[in-house]
Amino acid sequence: MFLIECPWCGKRDQREFSCGGEAHIVRPTDSETMSDEQWADYLFMRSNTLGVHAERWVHVHGCGQWFNALRNTATDEFVAVYRMDETPPGAHGD
């Protein structure tokens, strides 16, 4: 068991959260012109990062809010959490 920092509620038990997969996946604007292979690639293909990975999380048994997190997939360490409307930490060189 470990704690996850919800941007709204603070640190809570990991059992209160659910992972929604990779963050920052942008829906194609021209989906009607995409081939089946391109559409399947958008729907199903995700990076399988070993190390720090951007993910979407939801505080299911708390506030119900979605947020993004940078999590080390090798250690389960949460490097940072940030709201959906915020830029990932480090994206501006900080």
Side-chain angles (χ1 to χ4, degrees):
M1 176 188 79
F2 56 90
L3 301 176
I4 298 174
E5 176 97 24
C6 173
W8 291 271
C9 305
K11 291 186 178 183
R12 298 289 192 268
D13 188 292
Q14 72 180 84
R15 293 175 290 189
E16 295 185 16
F17 297 87
S18 180
C19 182
E22 186 173 349
H24 309 294
I25 304 294
V26 179
R27 183 183 177 95
T29 56
D30 57 347
S31 59
E32 64 279 350
T33 62
M34 295 174 68
S35 68
D36 290 345
E37 291 79 19
Q38 290 171 319
W39 185 246
D41 184 60
Y42 161 71
L43 289 177
F44 303 114
M45 298 306 291
R46 299 294 182 256
S47 64
N48 189 17
T49 304
L50 177 62
V52 177
H53 182 64
E55 299 173 329
R56 298 178 303 152
W57 284 78
V58 62
H59 193 181
V60 175
H61 300 291
C63 63
Q65 295 287 325
W66 284 88
F67 60 95
N68 290 324
L70 297 178
R71 182 178 66 90
N72 186 323
T73 59
T75 64
D76 270 341
E77 175 191 7
F78 279 71
V79 177
V81 294
Y82 52 101
R83 296 181 353 186
M84 300 295 275
D85 60 345
E86 295 178 326
T87 304
H92 296 298
D94 51 350

